[in-house]
Amino acid sequence: MATQAHGMGHAVKRKEDARFIRGKGTYIDDIKLPGMLYLDIVRSPYAHARIKAIHSEKAVAIPGVLAVITGKDLDKYGLAWMPTLMSDRQMVLPIDTVLYQSQEVAAVLATERYIAADGVAAVEVEYEPLPVVVDPRKALEPGAPILRQDREHKSNHIWHWEVGDKAAADTAFREAAVKVKQDIYIPRIHVSSIETCGCIARWEPVEGKLTLWMTTQAPHAIRTVVALVAGHLGLAEHKIRVIAPDIGGGFGGKVPVYPGYVLAVAASVLTGKPVKWIEDRMENMQADSFARDYHITAELAAQKDGTLTALRVKTIADHGAFDAAANPSKFPAGLFSICTGSYDFKSAFAEVDGVYTNKPPGGIAYRCSFRVTEASYMIERMADIVAHELGMDPAEFRLKNFIPPEAFPYQSPLGWTYDSGNYQAALRKAMEKIGYADLRREQAEKRKRGELMGIGISSFTEIVGAGPSHTFDILGLKMFDSAEIRIHPTGKVVARFGTKSQGQGHETTYAQIIAHELGIPEDDIVVEEGDTDTAPYGLGTYASRSTPVAGAAGAMAARKIRDKARKIAAHLLEAHEDDLAWERGKFYVKGSPDRAKTIQEIAFAAYTNHPQGLEAGLEAVSYYDPPNLTFPFGSYICVVDIDNGTGEVKIRRFVAVDDCGNIINPMIVEGQIHGGLTMGLAPALYEEITYDEDGNIRGGSFMDYLLPTAVETPRWETDKTTTPSPHHPLGAKGVGESATVGAPAAIANAVIDALWHLGVRHLDIPITPWKVWKVLRERGVTE
Amino acid sequence: MIPAPFTYHRPKTLGAALRLLQTLGSVARVLAGGQSLLPMMKLRLAAPAHLIDIGRIAALRRIRAGGGRLRIGALATHSMIESVPAVRRWVPVLAETASTIGDLQVRNLGTMGGAAVHADPAADYPATLLALDAEFVLQGPDGARIVPASEFFQGLMATALRPDELLIEISLPTAQRVGAAYMKMPNPASGFALAGVAASVALDGDGRCRHVRVGITGVASAAYRARHVEQALLGQEPTDEVLAAASAAAADGVDASADLHASAEYRRHLARVLTRRALAAARDRRRSGKQGLPSS
Ligand SMILES: Cc1cc2nc3c(=O)[nH]c(=O)nc-3n(C[C@H](O)[C@H](O)[C@H](O)COP(=O)(O)OP(=O)(O)OC[C@H]3O[C@@H](n4cnc5c(N)ncnc54)[C@H](O)[C@@H]3O)c2cc1C
């Protein structure tokens, strides 16, 4: 079959699917090394307790159990604690106190996976339970037990962060004709990627080299962290190789370093053998980094005609026992300051306080660019509340308050420069597609008959592609990203990137970018990521940054190659460089298109007949430092019917109009949006992890944590508008997370819209049938 | 999620299985589809020293109709119940019930016998088996005995089965022309019933209820028959109003359970709503002769 270069805008089939569909992917647990040992972890049944003793005799007596490792053992090597990405520190194993249920207490090393589990069951730990704090507001009260005794600052308060002009916002509120205030809780949820976390650590004592196969979204950063944390044990960065093989979903949950990784490395160094550690599903849900858990109090000020004037937000962020979020260093609350959303506020002020509780650590960016979901959900809920209070149609209200298209680049009151947008166009398109006016008429008729139907809108603005080096770093590492393209003599390409796909389809989209820029068929391009020994340094894949940053690097590297190719073509065509024109895939002499050299011919010449004075070869590297973030947006409209007998919410229709700038592969974009919408549906109607007052987890397995599947998922109707990013080399924006960010508010708004006339102003997500039924019963409208 | 060590046995005949059960005693567990037992073992909530896998005993997988009864071998899977023509013809509501269980993988492996013996308080079949007056054939070292559904389900994961017995067959009467329906509010995570109601109705020549059964699962620690509802309807014409009034008693005198997903009050409410809806559907099906079969 003749292959051709498709480039941007084509639904090229995913190159990676050939192996995924045939079950030929290689995930961590597929890798087996000779002599490999297995590590399993003893976990705490208590949310807060002093460890009085750990008895490992019975475990060690099991044939095949080699060792039981405790915090005291690690402490001898300075490894009982590790730094988090947020300048906090986290226990690898506790020396004397556990701070949350399911926390790692000891590790068992054995010759077989099953024996390791028997060993875990045989370890006996004596605990003395301590008072538990699960509510972050109680954690801040005077007299609350201080959880982090290791800190100098004896308080459960971690940090305070604020942004905006408080005085201006306060003035606007004093003068406002309309004020609305609402407490909004965004519950703790878990990314629940299909593949849990795990690693294989192989320490080769003779060479002094560590190879770490690991489920990580950021392999290069991990390598540097390992070198910095374990340098004193003789691990040096040139002898550390991190390999992220195929990954079964990351969603932010595979950015942090978990104790299991450190334990596997320590155990391998200790024994000189490869050590594998793979979490099971419940460990993954109960101990790995959670997401959200924001207690928000939001206020909006508006004029009588519905014009928004000011926003004030105060938030308590429950971080669990350690601040193990994975935000850029200067942003303890992530990019929550995108919370003015799609609206043109004159003033705004936001503040967030981080708090410790007896819960697992985290605060990761679950499929969103650092707390953007929290921000977007809040502002979209609030917009609906104000609209309803004013008796305005929520769509009309939004159209009135949107930042107008001519205002871009738009300076937000909380400090961002939105690159481009046309919010009116996206909302109007969604309204048209769903038949908004007819739906409102139907709703009015149904209401007369006592039937409950609601229409919810969410017109979100995202902020993705971290980020410009003047503002963005993680542990000091600037958040650029990289691409390296090598063209072989026969015109075939190997391209390597600093990111790491976890299902996003990089092998295809990056190939399309290169095909677009160089005219080389996608089939002739192999994309590799995830091996720190081969790929250029980059900060990894999360926060929808791969296309905005590494994708841009790919385009820039390709353009460098094109520049050199022009010189070679000039040499081959015996023409002056300036007399050559580029048409996808070849240079030709202006005015005589027959005198042309294809990129393949040029590549061959680069190794066989390169001009004197020019280096041989055809390759380039680019480290791309984006000048700004990109601001994808969209408008979603959801229609729900509520069963007033059972309280069930049924999504009848859901229309999603997304704008992510210029699209590389429309099929992959659609897939990303479908997945994202489902992950937005999840917290809206189903998912939540709660704790009882003793800190026992509720919802810590798939029996109770309601992860929606295809069965619960409605039919998504997608569409798009295209507003290119003015600063991205391809005009593209990120898209992987838009739908996760935008969907929850559309669904919640639809449910409240169905109930507003009954006096319901807000319900916290997840909006379960039980919750709806309670409200219906209070209002006396149940069957 | 790794089970404690155990010894695995796979007898080929019923006799061999019964002998093993007797010799090994209480440290042994029978393994059918494994969809309840294996998860418990993986969580180490169960740690039997021996597993007796009855999966190769072909005789236990048979489904036969005759003599006014449909006899379903204990090893018939949920998928079989959903799709086998004899079940769909004689007891369509059982096929309907099976189709709501878990997911396809669970239905392909899990067995009706296993589900009945496991007697999870939120399992689906018990409601329907109660509503259909099912009988359970239990085989022990001294032969077989027959226990009616209303005596088989005894409490939280407790049944009339003795430790040395195997459930070999569940049989259902097919003579009476009933309309029946199963209505369920699933726990969206597991598919188990927050509340599930099976109703079966036979009408006399005047269109009055000649026979009514209502089986309810998910609401209490064990599935039960809503006898107040049944009695209130006998001899009545099942109008919407009559059904609604009778259904109000669906959870009377029941100690309803509460958990993360539903309070006792909500469960009782669901029992009433679903009872009314299941009875109405059963009535309509009896009247129209059209049963609510799952797509096969
Ligand atoms: C993800 C998931 C979702 C599920 N959802 C639902 C649902 O929506 N509704 C529902 O009702 N159920 C549900 N189930 C449970 C499912 O129906 C099980 O198949 C059923 O409970 C057990 O049947 P089994 O053949 O797998 O039995 P096993 O797990 O093999 O055994 C269960 C118990 O019965 C005993 N046993 C089995 N067969 C016999 C026999 N013939 N004689 C004596 N003892 C026997 C075993 O010793 C064991 O104690 C779900 C299960 C899973 C894993």
Side-chain angles (χ1 to χ4, degrees):
Chain A
M1 205 180 69
T3 59
Q4 59 169 47
H6 298 278
M8 295 273 296
H10 288 269
V12 176
K13 280 191 185 158
R14 301 204 331 161
K15 290 158 80 80
E16 43 271 84
D17 282 348
R19 70 175 187 281
F20 290 146
I21 289 169
R22 291 175 218 190
K24 298 292 182 197
T26 304
Y27 299 90
I28 286 284
D29 211 15
D30 295 320
I31 300 169
K32 294 182 176 70
L33 302 178
M36 193 164 72
L37 305 177
Y38 294 82
L39 187 118
D40 198 356
I41 292 174
V42 179
R43 292 177 184 274
S44 172
Y46 293 101
H48 194 193
R50 202 173 66 76
I51 298 173
K52 294 204 292 189
I54 298 177
H55 304 287
S56 50
E57 305 79 17
K58 284 187 193 153
V60 179
I62 297 172
V65 172
L66 303 177
V68 174
I69 303 167
T70 66
K72 289 194 171 131
D73 299 329
L74 291 183
D75 199 28
K76 288 179 214 147
Y77 303 96
L79 284 178
W81 291 83
M82 61 179 180
T84 73
L85 297 177
M86 301 315 299
S87 334
D88 195 356
R89 58 183 203 150
Q90 176 175 356
M91 294 177 196
V92 176
L93 290 178
I95 298 167
D96 52 22
T97 309
V98 287
L99 289 173
Y100 54 94
Q101 193 179 54
S102 291
Q103 185 181 340
E104 298 79 2
V105 171
V108 175
L109 192 62
T111 52
E112 281 176 40
R113 178 72 189 88
Y114 277 55
I115 295 176
D118 292 343
V120 165
V123 173
E124 288 166 4
V125 185
E126 288 177 49
Y127 297 95
E128 178 190 319
L130 297 170
V132 171
V133 189
V134 291
D135 182 337
R137 286 159 301 202
K138 290 202 177 131
L140 291 178
E141 282 169 10
I146 303 302
L147 306 186
R148 290 291 299 279
Q149 293 293 345
D150 61 295
R151 286 169 91 228
E152 235 168 75
H153 181 53
K154 294 283 178 264
S155 159
N156 295 322
H157 184 257
I158 318 174
W159 43 257
H160 174 83
W161 175 83
E162 59 178 58
V163 62
D165 186 338
K166 187 170 190 314
D170 289 348
T171 309
F173 269 90
R174 264 194 306 277
E175 291 166 358
V178 181
K179 282 175 255 188
V180 166
K181 185 173 184 177
Q182 181 64 49
D183 287 336
I184 294 173
Y185 176 55
I186 305 183
R188 185 175 269 246
I189 55 174
H190 199 279
V191 300
S192 307
S193 49
I194 289 180
E195 183 201 30
T196 60
C197 294
C199 70
I200 300 169
R202 183 180 67 193
W203 168 251
E204 289 149 288
V206 177
E207 290 164 40
K209 175 156 187 175
L210 175 74
T211 307
L212 185 56
W213 290 264
M214 180 174 171
T215 50
T216 176
Q217 299 174 228
H220 300 275
I222 292 292
R223 186 187 70 197
T224 304
V225 170
V226 173
L228 292 176
V229 172
H232 66 286
L233 299 174
L235 292 176
E237 196 164 2
H238 65 306
K239 290 195 172 179
I240 302 169
R241 179 181 186 186
V242 177
I243 301 174
D246 286 330
I247 294 183
F251 311 112
K254 287 173 182 164
V255 176
V257 173
Y258 296 114
Y261 297 137
V262 181
L263 287 165
V265 172
S268 182
V269 172
L270 204 73
T271 58
K273 297 209 165 149
V275 174
K276 182 186 265 191
W277 166 71
I278 306 279
E279 289 173 326
D280 71 25
R281 176 58 60 191
M282 286 167 75
E283 293 178 294
N284 179 261
M285 291 198 68
Q286 298 184 4
D288 283 6
S289 292
F290 70 91
R292 322 282 190 245
D293 216 346
Y294 258 31
H295 298 258
I296 300 175
T297 303
E299 293 173 277
L300 285 188
Q303 294 167 9
K304 272 217 179 65
D305 68 352
T307 306
L308 286 169
T309 54
L311 166 71
R312 264 193 318 219
V313 198
K314 193 171 168 49
T315 291
I316 293 181
D318 184 341
H319 274 274
F322 313 104
D323 183 359
N327 299 324
S329 307
K330 296 188 186 71
F331 297 90
L335 308 187
F336 187 67
S337 50
I338 192 68
C339 62
T340 52
S342 308
Y343 309 105
D344 190 8
F345 285 99
K346 296 287 162 289
S347 60
F349 177 71
E351 55 186 324
V352 184
D353 289 278
V355 180
Y356 291 123
T357 58
N358 287 120
K359 297 185 210 166
I364 50 149
Y366 173 174
R367 203 166 180 173
C368 86
S369 186
F370 318 114
R371 304 294 191 184
V372 176
T373 310
E374 287 88 329
S376 171
Y377 175 76
M378 179 279 293
I379 189 67
E380 286 306 302
R381 270 300 300 124
M382 291 304 289
D384 251 45
I385 295 176
V386 185
H388 279 303
E389 296 257 297
L390 287 168
M392 278 177 80
D393 181 280
E396 193 190 314
F397 176 82
R398 284 178 169 82
L399 289 168
K400 185 182 181 70
N401 282 291
F402 279 152
I403 300 160
E406 61 277 9
F408 292 90
Y410 168 81
Q411 191 64 42
S412 87
L414 295 184
W416 301 111
T417 307
Y418 293 17
D419 60 347
S420 63
N422 187 343
Y423 303 152
Q424 283 83 351
L427 178 53
R428 289 227 165 84
K429 190 160 200 177
M431 289 167 73
E432 212 165 285
K433 196 174 169 87
I434 206 159
Y436 188 76
D438 289 344
L439 285 167
R440 283 289 175 208
R441 271 192 290 279
E442 180 192 343
Q443 181 187 35
E445 280 161 26
K446 288 215 155 128
R447 204 165 271 178
K448 281 184 215 143
R449 296 200 295 269
E451 290 172 39
L452 301 172
M453 164 189 168
I455 304 154
I457 301 175
S458 168
S459 294
F460 62 93
T461 290
E462 265 237 285
I463 172 170
V464 308
S469 60
H470 51 74
T471 316
F472 288 91
D473 70 85
I474 286 185
L475 292 176
L477 301 167
K478 300 296 189 186
M479 294 182 75
F480 57 81
D481 223 294
S482 61
E484 178 202 88
I485 303 174
R486 291 188 183 179
I487 309 202
H488 299 325
T490 53
K492 313 292 177 187
V493 179
V494 168
R496 300 191 171 105
F497 291 78
T499 46
K500 175 62 206 171
S501 182
Q502 311 122 42
Q504 293 88 340
H506 290 179
E507 288 167 48
T508 311
T509 46
Y510 287 161
Q512 281 181 261
I513 290 174
I514 295 167
H516 187 81
E517 293 292 331
L518 293 177
I520 297 173
E522 282 86 355
D523 282 353
D524 291 351
I525 302 167
V526 162
V527 169
E528 293 181 356
E529 302 172 290
D531 183 340
T532 58
D533 267 11
T534 57
Y537 204 99
L539 271 269
T541 292
Y542 39 86
S544 295
R545 64 188 298 281
S546 296
T547 290
V549 193
M556 298 314 257
R559 289 174 192 181
K560 287 188 195 174
I561 286 177
R562 216 162 65 197
D563 289 346
K564 182 168 179 185
R566 176 187 288 272
K567 291 191 198 317
I568 299 171
H571 164 70
L572 296 176
L573 292 165
E574 295 176 348
H576 194 273
E577 273 182 55
D578 296 342
D579 295 333
L580 296 186
W582 170 258
E583 180 191 306
R584 171 117 32 106
K586 61 181 181 210
F587 280 106
Y588 64 92
V589 179
K590 285 178 195 162
S592 24
D594 294 349
R595 289 182 61 203
K597 287 290 169 192
T598 65
I599 185 78
Q600 286 81 3
E601 289 167 327
I602 295 167
F604 196 68
Y607 297 87
T608 59
N609 177 22
H610 63 282
Q612 288 302 310
L614 194 71
E615 282 181 16
L618 197 55
E619 56 184 68
V621 185
S622 168
Y623 285 80
Y624 186 76
D625 184 357
N628 189 5
L629 294 117
T630 67
F631 296 76
F633 59 92
S635 269
Y636 296 168
I637 306 185
C638 172
V639 184
V640 300
D641 297 297
I642 296 177
D643 180 332
N644 73 343
T646 61
E648 272 170 296
V649 172
K650 297 206 175 103
I651 296 180
R652 192 202 306 174
R653 287 189 68 192
F654 195 108
V655 165
V657 174
D658 271 277
D659 192 321
C660 59
N662 290 337
I663 287 177
I664 302 164
N665 184 321
M667 179 191 70
I668 288 181
V669 165
E670 198 185 356
Q672 289 288 306
I673 290 169
H674 275 234
L677 289 171
T678 306
M679 283 186 136
L681 162 74
L685 296 186
Y686 301 109
E687 295 179 353
E688 177 171 28
I689 294 179
T690 58
Y691 292 81
D692 70 13
E693 57 189 26
D694 296 323
N696 296 307
I697 188 167
R698 297 186 295 190
S701 84
F702 282 163
M703 291 301 283
D704 287 318
Y705 188 73
L706 312 185
L707 192 84
T709 65
V711 176
E712 290 79 20
T713 304
R715 202 175 83 81
W716 307 117
E717 302 170 57
T718 58
D719 210 330
K720 64 167 199 290
T721 58
T722 304
T723 313
S725 167
H727 64 77
H728 186 277
L730 300 167
K733 300 182 177 185
V735 75
E737 304 166 331
S738 293
T740 324
V741 167
I747 299 168
N749 283 346
V751 177
I752 312 295
D753 185 64
L755 303 172
W756 185 272
H757 65 293
L758 302 172
V760 179
R761 184 187 149 101
H762 178 72
L763 286 174
D764 277 328
I765 53 171
I767 304 179
T768 62
W770 180 18
K771 216 180 255 182
V772 173
W773 172 74
K774 277 190 277 195
V775 172
L776 295 178
R777 190 193 41 175
E778 281 162 21
R779 307 294 192 280
V781 292
T782 49
E783 175 183 323
Chain B
M1 295 213 196
I2 286 180
F6 58 87
T7 309
Y8 177 78
H9 308 265
R10 195 165 69 196
K12 291 208 177 61
T13 63
L14 187 57
L18 286 166
R19 276 192 300 279
L20 269 173
L21 201 51
Q22 229 183 338
T23 359
L24 297 171
S26 62
V27 294
R29 287 288 282 276
V30 172
L31 177 71
Q35 296 305 292
S36 294
L37 184 52
L38 294 185
M40 292 204 305
M41 288 172 63
K42 287 184 172 188
L43 295 173
R44 297 196 179 216
L45 295 171
H50 296 269
L51 275 190
I52 306 171
D53 183 350
I54 57 173
R56 298 298 164 103
I57 306 173
L60 295 182
R61 222 171 268 275
R62 270 204 297 266
I63 299 179
R64 292 162 297 154
R69 299 198 80 83
L70 181 71
R71 295 166 203 283
I72 302 177
L75 279 184
T77 61
H78 309 331
S79 294
M80 287 169 68
I81 306 280
E82 205 180 336
S83 58
V84 167
V87 180
R88 294 169 70 88
R89 170 161 183 214
W90 295 110
V91 281
V93 66
L94 197 62
E96 182 182 32
T97 307
S99 74
T100 73
I101 294 176
D103 50 46
L104 192 61
Q105 290 89 332
V106 170
R107 294 199 291 277
N108 281 341
L109 282 169
T111 67
M112 183 160 75
V117 172
H118 189 62
D120 189 290
D124 294 295
Y125 287 123
T128 309
L129 294 172
L130 283 166
L132 294 177
D133 292 321
E135 288 179 353
F136 292 72
V137 183
L138 311 179
Q139 177 110 26
D142 310 321
R145 61 189 180 109
I146 294 177
V147 177
S150 52
E151 287 166 33
F152 184 77
F153 299 109
Q154 298 192 332
L156 182 68
M157 298 176 120
T159 68
L161 186 84
R162 296 186 192 123
D164 59 354
E165 286 179 326
L166 279 175
L167 167 64
I168 59 169
E169 188 175 282
I170 296 175
S171 99
L172 305 137
T174 54
Q176 175 136 268
R177 283 173 34 89
V178 297
Y182 181 65
M183 296 270 168
K184 155 185 183 179
M185 177 74 177
N187 168 336
S190 64
F192 277 103
L194 286 182
V197 179
S200 167
V201 177
L203 304 176
D204 63 18
D206 299 330
R208 294 172 195 282
C209 295
R210 182 162 55 78
H211 166 96
V212 184
R213 288 284 183 278
V214 176
I216 300 185
T217 190
V219 175
S221 60
Y224 63 94
R225 264 177 60 187
R227 291 179 195 269
H228 297 300
V229 180
E230 295 173 3
Q231 273 148 22
L233 290 174
L234 270 186
Q236 301 289 316
E237 191 190 334
T239 61
D240 286 348
E241 296 70 37
V242 167
L243 293 185
S247 300
D252 283 5
V254 169
D255 188 7
S257 342
D259 61 20
L260 204 53
H261 305 294
S263 64
E265 220 182 341
Y266 180 46
R267 276 201 166 79
R268 270 198 288 270
H269 169 82
L270 286 174
R272 291 190 283 262
V273 169
L274 295 175
T275 296
R276 189 190 63 67
R277 292 181 184 181
L279 280 166
R283 172 202 63 196
D284 295 345
R285 288 171 184 181
R286 180 64 199 89
R287 284 179 179 163
S288 70
K290 288 203 192 80
Q291 301 296 349
L293 276 168
S295 55
S296 59

